Amino acid sequence: MVGTVHPVGKTYEGGAPLAEVVRSDFVEGVHRGSVVVLDATGATVAGAGDVTSPVFPRSANKPMQAVGMLRAGLPLTDPADLALVSASHAGEEFHLARVGALLARAGLDESALHCPPDLPVGEAARAAVLRAGGGPRRIQMNCSGKHSGMLLTCGAAGWARDGYWRPEHPLQQRLRDAIEEFTGERAAAVGVDGCGAPVLAVSLTGLAGAYLRLVSAEPGSVPRTVADAMRAHPELVGGTEADDTRLMRGIPGLLAKVGAEGVIAAALPGVGAVAVKIDDGAGRARMPVLVSALRRLGVAAPVLTEYAELPLFGGGVPVGAVRPVW
């Protein structure tokens, strides 16, 4: 799968100008970041910024974590369940129902989750909870599918569920092994993600390569099973209107996953892979830059046109856009 695992640089140097904010034909801001484009062989064909030093991919690491869980014994065969374990879900009713069913399989409820209580990240789902007089819940947190998978994996492997989120726990060691294998890099740092689980720092080049390896794996293999599950159930990976969900719906065969702080990674078998990090964490710049990167690989689809520029409004009407300059 991967050759020698190698270290990456110790400090991210920051990126280059990738997108500009244009209002009324006046450039009022610039988003800097880094982006790498790999061809189908894994060779770098384009890039900007620092693509070899470590960043936290945040939730873009989830597909590799799902691979680690399956290898450790995660007892799930339904592709929809595997997609949810790999997800940053929007907190819609169909997400919560499936997370609840996963927990019930282990005789647990949402109190077993270590992820913090939260409102849904999806705007419509959040509004519905607030209209109904609800508040933050652990199951609504966008990583509750991943945490449910972690709990199920611990039960199957005979590991203590207590402290399953700690970096030294056997579960997290297995997940680290998977991330390092697929990225081909030693994790440069271990942090605490927003959900309380560990997040490992790797380079954008390593991240893009990991996604390429997932979609290029042998049919029926564990990594291919995860990639296929996510692509078959994109609405569970994100949500009805989530960026990565819409990309996978609009480009057959594409695997895509967003991460917090302006990260996204995507890969298309036989074509190549892309990873993006926006330095200031702005999600609004992430998609236009990704579109520019995918087009460098010859990818064309109506959904890319929709995301090529993000409109800006003034007085309720469009007056500008966030558009790529790379």
Side-chain angles (χ1 to χ4, degrees):
M1 178 71 66
V2 179
T4 302
V5 177
H6 56 85
V8 293
K10 294 300 183 184
T11 304
Y12 176 63
E13 296 180 356
L18 296 182
E20 62 183 10
V21 183
V22 182
R23 181 179 298 275
S24 303
D25 296 322
F26 180 83
V27 178
E28 66 172 347
V30 174
H31 291 288
R32 301 177 67 89
S34 299
V35 53
V36 66
V37 183
L38 308 182
D39 67 15
T41 71
T44 301
V45 294
D50 182 0
V51 301
T52 59
S53 296
V55 298
F56 281 138
R58 304 295 295 275
S59 287
N61 277 342
K62 284 179 178 174
M64 291 86 79
Q65 291 175 312
V67 169
M69 289 185 229
L70 281 175
R71 287 176 171 175
L74 176 64
L76 297 179
T77 56
D78 187 336
D81 289 334
L82 293 176
L84 190 62
V85 168
S86 309
S88 299
H89 65 72
E92 297 172 77
E93 284 299 323
F94 62 92
H95 295 126
L96 305 187
R98 189 168 286 274
V99 174
L102 288 178
L103 291 169
R105 287 184 56 158
L108 303 171
D109 60 29
E110 65 182 284
S111 65
L113 297 169
H114 179 66
C115 55
D118 202 355
L119 290 169
V121 296
E123 291 184 11
R126 184 188 313 119
V129 168
L130 294 174
R131 280 197 305 271
R137 295 174 56 193
R138 293 182 188 276
I139 201 170
Q140 292 171 168
M141 202 272 168
N142 71 93
C143 298
S144 65
K146 179 182 77 172
H147 280 254
S148 297
M150 289 178 176
L151 287 165
L152 285 166
T153 303
C154 287
W159 296 325
R161 291 192 175 106
D162 182 44
Y164 73 87
W165 60 89
R166 301 188 188 283
E168 65 272 14
H169 191 283
L171 169 70
Q172 300 302 334
Q173 291 296 309
R174 294 292 188 91
L175 305 194
R176 177 172 182 153
D177 289 344
I179 290 172
E180 292 186 337
E181 175 189 343
F182 280 85
T183 61
E185 297 176 358
R186 297 290 185 198
V190 181
V192 180
D193 213 336
C195 66
V199 59
L200 306 183
V202 295
S203 74
L204 289 175
T205 300
L207 181 64
Y211 275 62
L212 190 58
R213 293 178 183 105
L214 289 168
V215 300
S216 303
E218 288 295 320
S221 65
V222 169
R224 181 66 174 271
T225 295
V226 171
D228 287 350
M230 294 174 67
R231 292 180 291 185
H233 298 278
E235 73 284 351
L236 290 170
V237 174
T240 304
E241 296 300 324
D243 292 339
D244 42 16
T245 295
R246 294 185 62 205
L247 279 173
M248 288 190 282
R249 282 178 182 159
I251 305 174
L254 184 77
L255 176 68
K257 182 72 188 70
V258 300
E261 297 299 322
V263 173
I264 189 166
L268 195 59
V271 176
V274 173
V276 176
K277 162 69 179 172
I278 305 300
D279 287 355
D280 63 7
R284 67 179 183 176
R286 173 171 54 198
M287 294 302 291
V289 174
L290 179 74
V291 169
S292 178
L294 288 173
R295 284 176 170 170
R296 288 168 185 258
L297 289 171
V299 180
V303 69
L304 295 185
T305 301
E306 295 175 29
Y307 279 116
E309 294 187 354
L310 181 74
L312 295 178
F313 295 87
V317 298
V319 296
V322 179
R323 63 192 186 194
V325 295
W326 171 77

